Amino acid sequence: MNPIAAVDLALKVLDEILTMIAHLKSQAGMSADELLARSDAGDLANKDAIKSILAGG
Amino acid sequence: MTLALTLSACADAYKAAAKVADDLTKAVSSGIKISAELSNDGVTTLEERNNVLRFLDKLTDFNGVYKSKVRTIHAAELACAASKCNKAAEYISAANELVSAAKDPSVLALAHVSNPSSQKKVERIVTAINVVLDGAVLAIQRVKGQS
């Protein structure tokens, strides 16, 4: 793997780790009902995004 | 004191179960972003990319079924006497059903592309989802063990 690709991959992995840490921090003060409600909203958004990409070809 | 501890244990199992759903939603969301990139790599066919998206769509459906069960268990938990309200085993059962559905070979088969480089990206998606699924039952069991 060339150095630029390696740095690119490392940055993507770091980005994913930071995103997951932010996600975990955001869960800390949430109730179960709030977590389920956020998941519901996220699932709806995910379904819409998938539908949109599939429709786009 | 006992009542407070029992109710707290119930709430924690419910929260652990809810957290699994929220984590799975987040993992699918990340997976969609990676899938969208696959169509620009020039080596992944449209059908392969679409199958990865269908895989993520199925996971979202399974998550919906799982959340419905979690809500039903929690409603029963609230309705029953506090001394009998420990439903951790039922939350674990619901999580096990989610894991079984998500790890069904016919579902996992959708998350496969022929190009090795692209497959590595798809494996990132599957790994993130497996981390959530593998931790699902353990997280609820941990709370059950504390009660």
Side-chain angles (χ1 to χ4, degrees), chain B residues 79-122:
Chain B
C80 76
S83 60
K84 296 178 186 170
C85 85
N86 196 332
K87 300 273 185 186
E90 291 180 39
Y91 288 121
I92 290 169
S93 174
N96 271 323
E97 286 170 24
L98 169 68
V99 173
S100 295
K103 292 198 174 186
D104 186 284
S106 67
V107 175
L108 283 173
L110 291 169
H112 181 78
V113 296
S114 52
N115 180 270
S117 171
S118 302
Q119 184 59 30
K120 280 186 183 168
K121 291 179 185 170
V122 175

Side-chain angles (χ1 to χ4, degrees), chain B residues 12-14 16-18 20 66 70 87-95 135-145:
Chain B
D12 288 345
Y14 176 43
V20 169
Y66 168 71
V70 166
K87 300 273 185 186
E90 291 180 39
Y91 288 121
I92 290 169
S93 174
V137 176
L138 284 175
I140 304 168
Q141 275 175 339
R142 198 176 306 127
V143 173
K144 185 187 175 193

Side-chain angles (χ1 to χ4, degrees), chain B residues 31-76:
Chain B
I32 292 169
K33 286 175 194 156
I34 296 171
S35 301
E37 288 174 19
L38 289 175
S39 54
N40 301 323
D41 65 9
V43 290
T44 307
T45 68
L46 206 57
E47 188 56 26
E48 286 176 330
R49 182 208 65 181
N50 288 351
N51 277 339
V52 176
L53 288 167
R54 289 182 191 110
F55 164 70
L56 296 169
D57 195 45
K58 278 182 182 290
L59 291 178
T60 303
D61 290 341
F62 297 150
N63 204 19
V65 172
Y66 168 71
K67 282 184 284 187
S68 175
K69 286 177 187 167
V70 166
R71 286 186 164 110
T72 301
I73 295 165
H74 183 59

Side-chain angles (χ1 to χ4, degrees), chain A residues 16 30 33 38 47 57, chain B residues 14-15 22 49 61 124:
Chain A
E16 282 186 24
M30 294 180 82
D33 289 337
R38 183 168 76 173
K47 296 280 284 184
Chain B
Y14 176 43
K15 185 168 179 179
D22 190 45
R49 182 208 65 181
D61 290 341
R124 275 169 54 203

Side-chain angles (χ1 to χ4, degrees), chain A residues 1 9 12-13 16 19-20 22-24 26-57, chain B residues 11 14-15 17-19 21-30 32 34 36-37 39 46 49-51 53-54 56-58 60-61 63-64 67 70-71 74 121 124 128 132:
Chain A
M1 182 183 284
L9 179 64
K12 280 182 178 168
V13 170
E16 282 186 24
T19 302
M20 187 50 73
H23 174 67
L24 291 174
S26 76
Q27 286 181 332
M30 294 180 82
S31 70
D33 289 337
E34 287 168 338
L35 287 170
L36 286 175
R38 183 168 76 173
S39 174
D40 285 343
D43 280 354
L44 272 178
N46 285 344
K47 296 280 284 184
D48 282 347
I50 290 169
K51 199 173 166 185
S52 168
I53 299 170
L54 288 174
Chain B
Y14 176 43
K15 185 168 179 179
K19 186 179 174 308
D22 190 45
D23 286 345
L24 185 56
T25 299
K26 175 71 188 165
V28 168
S29 179
S30 299
I32 292 169
I34 296 171
E37 288 174 19
S39 54
L46 206 57
R49 182 208 65 181
N50 288 351
N51 277 339
L53 288 167
R54 289 182 191 110
L56 296 169
D57 195 45
K58 278 182 182 290
T60 303
D61 290 341
N63 204 19
K67 282 184 284 187
V70 166
R71 286 186 164 110
H74 183 59
K121 291 179 185 170
R124 275 169 54 203
V132 175

